[in-house]
Each structure stands twice: as C-alpha cells, then as structure tokens.
Amino acid sequence: MCCRLEFGMKASGMRMVTRSWSREPGAGPRGIGEEAAPLGRGEAAAEGRKSHRPVKRQRKAQSLNVAYEVSDGEKGEGTELLKVPSWEPQDWQQQLANIRSMRSGKDAPVDQLGAEHCYDPSAPPKVQRYQVLLSLMLSSQTKDQVTAGAMQRLRARGLTVDSILQTDDSTLGTLIYPVGFWRNKVKYIKQTSAILQQRYGGDIPASVAELVALPGVGPKMAHLAMAVAWGTVSGIAAVDTHVHRIANRLKWTKKVTKSPEETRRALEEWLPRNLWSEINGLLVGFGQQTCLPVRPRCQACLNQAMCPAAQRL
C-alpha cells in the first residue's frame, strides 16, 4: 500500500512529498508510540508455528521518491529561489558610466527646462502638481524650449484649475501656441481640468491608472507626474523619442522596439529599479547633445567603440 506523507516547507514556498511502501499488504501505518494489539489464543498458536518456519529474506527496501511541489498560494516566495537570471545587455554598466561622464555638466535643455523646472515653487502643493501635469501635457511632440515658453505665459496669468476653466478656448490656444497639436491640447486641458475640479478637488490623481484615464495623458506623462509631482517612482518615467532611439542603438532591449512605451517596458524587465529615476534625464540630455536623431556625434562619444550602431554609421 502506498503511503503519501507531506511536510510543509513554507519558508521556501514548497512542500516535500515522499512516497514509501508499508510493511504488509493491507496494513495501515503504525503511529508513533502505538502498541500492537494482544494476540488471541488461535493467533498465538499460529504465531508459534510461524516461528519454526525458515526466515524469509527481507525484500529490498524500496527507494524513497521525493518530489517538490509548489502550491498555488505559495508561488512567488518560493519560486524566487529558482528564478533564472534575467537577460541584460552586454557592456551596459560601462556604457552607462560613460553616459554619466558625458552628462556631468548638466547643461542640456532638459536640465533647465524639464517638467521639474516648469512649475511655480511658491504655489500651494496641489497647484504645483497641477502645473507639473499641464507642463507634461504640453510637452508631447514639443521641444523643451517651446513647452517652457508656454508655461511661462500661462503662469503669468495665474495657472490654476479655476483660471484655466475660466479661460476661453481661443485665449488658451494663443497662450500655448506653438506647442505641437495645440488645438487638441486646448480641448484635453479643459476636459482634464474639469475632471480634476469635480473629482479631485483641484488636485491630480496619485496613481498611474487614474492619471492615464485623464484626457490627453499617456503612460509616459503619468509615470513622470508620479515622480515629479508625488515623488513616487512608479516606472521608468518619460521614455520619449530620445530614450527610445538610444536604447535601440545601444541594444539595451532584447529585441528591436517600435515605440517609446514598448521601450519602457523592455527596459524595466532588466534595468535595476534603483536606476529608474535617473535613466530618463541621462538619456534625454545625451540624445539632445550627442546621440542626435540625425548625424549623431559618434566621434565625441565615449561609447563609440562599444556601440553597435556606431559600427554601422
């Protein structure tokens, strides 16, 4: 008879399952400290006759089969011990160190005109957060210098949820022009501002899911808003065309990616989380100054010898 014994191993998230054979067919296992029942009269005689018979050789003990099973409720904790190391690009640490060196001057447009520089630091906290969100909405498909100019004009009129809702579309369009797709942004800014007033008391949501539900707010803006406005790293923020281009040139993605959002997900699969807040600023500035979209300055790049793209240019 097969006996199945299970021992919980919660520390490792697994359970050990053993299988062994009982002493006699049909007999159940004897518990620890359990005494055998006394023999009856006929049974004692039979037992005596058995003692004169030749002793049979004991059967060879069955080998112990051990299997480890992970229960559904314990997956995650135990399986981490068996996790295969994830893929990571070749030479990425040296390439990152070189980019840090080239960006040590902090003199790229993003260093002075990014979303973290476009809000009024003297305004109440929730107004600051609203201004951060608006600067991100304006920045899509727009150079940092143009976004900064539009924010200056808006702030000069008192940039709050109420002031935007009281501004007519024509005036708002004049204030934000020439940001990319300015007509659509007028509509999105008005719709989003109304939602913030009605549902959030003039503040902005504190989660990526709620932020991307707002008109005109995509994942890139949401993650950067979480980082700048709320001080929370929810993902690699603002993976724009610069980060998308450089990650593919350096082969920092396991396969070629076709959009910034796809690049963000690919980077998050291997890049250590403690680098998520830093990587955007580094690569955006690097893309603005050295790794240009057209005619990149490979001769001035410290990564020239280890950059796959530089070998083809």
Side-chain angles (χ1 to χ4, degrees), residues 207-218:
S207 73
V208 171
E210 291 176 290
L211 283 165
V212 296
L214 297 172
V217 179

Side-chain angles (χ1 to χ4, degrees), residues 92 111 148 237 271 297:
W92 74 269
D111 297 314
L271 188 69
R297 298 167 183 165

Side-chain angles (χ1 to χ4, degrees), residues 16-72:
M16 184 174 73
V17 181
T18 63
R19 296 177 177 87
S20 59
W21 294 96
S22 61
R23 291 167 283 101
E24 293 180 20
R30 181 179 296 176
I32 297 174
E34 181 182 347
E35 296 182 0
L39 296 177
R41 190 173 187 181
E43 291 173 328
E47 185 70 18
R49 288 194 298 271
K50 285 182 182 178
S51 63
H52 296 289
R53 295 176 184 174
V55 178
K56 294 183 180 179
R57 292 184 60 187
Q58 292 183 344
R59 295 178 61 183
K60 187 176 180 180
Q62 294 279 346
S63 59
L64 186 66
N65 297 323
V66 180
Y68 292 93
E69 299 177 357
V70 181
S71 64
D72 292 338

